[in-house]
Amino acid sequence: MGEVDPAFIQEPEHRPRISYIEGKGVPLIDLSPILSSSNVSAIEFEGLVKQVGDACKEWGFFQVINHGVPLEMREKIDGASRKFFAQSLEEKRKVRRNEKEVSGYYDTEHTKNVRDWKEVFDFTIEEPTIVSASHEPDDTELTEWNNQWPEYPPDLREICQEYGQEMVKLAYKLMELIARSLGLPADRFHGFFKDQTSFIRLNHYPPCPNPELALGVGRHKDGGALTILAEDDVGGLEVKRKTDGEWVRVKPTPDAYIINVGDIIQVWSNDRYESVEHRAMVNSEKERFSFPFFFNPAHYTLIKPLEELTNEQNPAKYWAYSWGKFMNNRKRSDFQKLNVENLQIYHFKISE
């Protein structure tokens, strides 16, 4: 990726600062109470629920340890990912994403219409994943997303599928804690994910000769429900702190996962919890790898504030919108530079 092509250069106000603030205070939550086979005391469980609720409210981000995902699984996906990205561009492009094949390899993704300094490999959890065929509101046609798997490494498919199942299990546990923190039954969100459109992305951020001009991923919010991120020890994730709007660096914690609330939870919770802007930095010396899992509902889900969380004093703040159409709209902006900002949840905000 040599010298920085102008396509990668951020506008001056969005360029990263090379000196950074380390994110003191990003909550670190121990999930062992819900994993231990012994009966957890009600006090311990309620304490965990409160920690999760406070983290969602104050940061929109938190880290979890003792989460139940075997370390060996994480090491396997890390190793396979490094082998895949170490191949020649010609080999990687044999499984290249395009507007028809939305899973696979890609190295020209844009965020906010600026190219990201990274290459990715995407795969969906459900094979095939059923989705809306277009972003047009009146088009009811459906299509299938099928994964593309490379020849090398030969075990990539199996490793990715096993890891994906671990992510789904962890996501359900976290959604139960989030539901309880909102005063809802633990399984309140489960039904939305029956035909999930979730996917995992393998990210590779090569060293960048001008890390002060480009970003691995530009500032953005996640459009889905919940993101579970594994990363190596290089670090680079920055979160916009809600209290003062400063960008703060999340320090990697060994074997922890970084969790963030997506736009869908913001809408379901009627703004009690907020999806927060974040971005990924690059550096000039070390490559970085990360593996986000995006937990997304079925394409036919209508996203709107939950009735239990709205009343006359606290009316719904959003119009309902189709997740399938929203997701399709977002995918378009990955492949073409649009002249308009891509779809955001504030476009569905009800004016007061």
Side-chain angles (χ1 to χ4, degrees):
M1 277 180 163
E3 283 302 304
V4 174
D5 181 293
F8 293 102
I9 295 177
Q10 296 283 330
E11 292 292 330
E13 68 272 24
H14 298 306
R15 286 177 196 166
R17 279 199 310 258
I18 295 307
S19 64
Y20 58 83
I21 305 168
E22 199 149 272
K24 302 268 188 297
V26 175
L28 183 67
I29 299 176
D30 183 345
L31 294 183
S32 52
I34 55 166
L35 297 175
S36 59
S37 49
S38 59
N39 288 335
V40 182
S41 72
I43 291 172
E44 215 177 352
F45 181 72
E46 289 309 322
L48 181 57
V49 167
K50 184 178 186 317
Q51 275 185 288
V52 168
D54 289 348
C56 290
K57 197 186 238 135
E58 290 159 22
W59 280 89
F61 267 81
F62 55 97
Q63 298 192 65
V64 294
I65 52 170
N66 297 321
H67 39 65
V69 180
L71 181 58
E72 177 198 8
M73 289 248 182
R74 182 158 165 172
E75 288 169 342
K76 275 186 179 173
I77 201 165
D78 181 86
S81 177
R82 286 169 193 268
K83 283 180 188 168
F84 172 75
F85 286 119
Q87 296 181 102
S88 69
L89 195 55
E90 183 186 11
E91 278 302 310
K92 289 181 283 197
R93 283 188 168 164
K94 285 179 181 173
V95 287
R96 192 165 199 249
R97 270 169 52 183
N98 56 52
E99 288 187 55
K100 293 279 175 282
E101 299 281 355
V102 300
S103 296
Y105 174 77
Y106 202 55
D107 61 349
T108 53
E109 188 155 274
H110 290 72
T111 303
K112 310 273 187 207
N113 284 329
V114 181
R115 192 169 161 193
D116 295 327
W117 190 271
K118 66 173 181 187
E119 51 180 352
V120 307
F121 178 83
D122 288 348
F123 63 95
T124 58
I125 300 298
E126 299 286 335
E127 291 194 69
T129 293
I130 311 298
V131 292
S132 311
S134 91
H135 67 286
E136 297 294 346
D138 301 329
D139 187 350
T140 56
E141 194 184 336
L142 299 177
T143 190
E144 289 183 353
W145 285 352
N146 290 288
N147 288 330
Q148 301 188 79
W149 295 104
E151 287 175 23
Y152 181 84
D155 55 358
L156 182 72
R157 179 177 192 161
E158 188 186 346
I159 288 169
C160 286
Q161 287 171 331
E162 281 183 6
Y163 184 79
Q165 291 315 305
E166 288 295 328
M167 289 297 98
V168 171
K169 280 196 290 195
L170 178 56
Y172 275 121
K173 284 177 193 149
L174 291 165
M175 292 302 288
E176 287 180 4
L177 291 167
I178 289 169
R180 291 295 299 268
S181 75
L182 289 165
L184 302 167
D187 63 356
R188 178 63 177 91
F189 297 116
H190 285 13
F192 295 119
F193 297 93
K194 181 174 164 285
D195 299 308
Q196 60 183 303
T197 53
S198 308
F199 71 99
I200 288 179
R201 167 165 289 177
L202 310 180
N203 281 318
H204 175 225
Y205 303 97
C208 175
N210 296 98
E212 73 286 355
L213 296 179
L215 286 165
V217 186
R219 71 196 195 286
H220 67 286
K221 298 180 179 188
D222 291 347
L226 194 74
T227 305
I228 302 177
L229 175 78
E231 60 169 355
D232 63 15
D233 59 0
V234 174
L237 174 68
E238 292 198 337
V239 174
K240 201 168 198 181
R241 190 163 52 195
K242 284 177 71 173
T243 49
D244 58 6
E246 283 287 346
W247 287 105
V248 297
R249 179 77 56 98
V250 180
K251 188 180 178 189
T253 301
D255 193 30
Y257 282 98
I258 300 169
I259 315 298
N260 67 281
V261 164
D263 288 345
I264 290 176
I265 286 181
Q266 179 167 338
V267 175
W268 279 340
S269 73
N270 207 33
D271 281 355
R272 274 177 59 181
Y273 297 159
E274 192 182 334
S275 173
V276 171
E277 267 196 324
H278 49 288
R279 64 187 186 181
M281 309 285 283
V282 285
N283 69 78
S284 55
E285 282 130 42
K286 290 182 175 170
E287 61 183 345
R288 174 176 175 249
F289 293 87
S290 73
F291 318 107
F293 163 73
F294 300 97
F295 196 38
N296 295 336
H299 74 87
Y300 50 75
T301 309
L302 213 52
I303 309 295
K304 59 183 181 181
L306 298 178
E307 286 173 16
E308 304 96 308
L309 301 179
T310 57
N311 54 37
E312 272 183 44
Q313 288 72 43
N314 184 29
K317 295 178 180 174
Y318 296 90
W319 301 105
Y321 64 90
S322 154
W323 167 244
K325 298 297 178 189
F326 184 93
M327 181 172 57
N328 221 297
N329 207 292
R330 281 283 180 95
K331 283 277 179 214
R332 283 172 68 229
S333 68
D334 288 351
F335 297 102
Q336 46 188 292
K337 195 163 174 175
L338 303 175
N339 293 325
V340 293
E341 181 188 24
N342 64 9
L343 202 55
Q344 306 287 346
I345 54 169
Y346 68 72
H347 292 131
F348 302 100
K349 195 105 194 202
I350 296 171
S351 50
E352 293 182 16

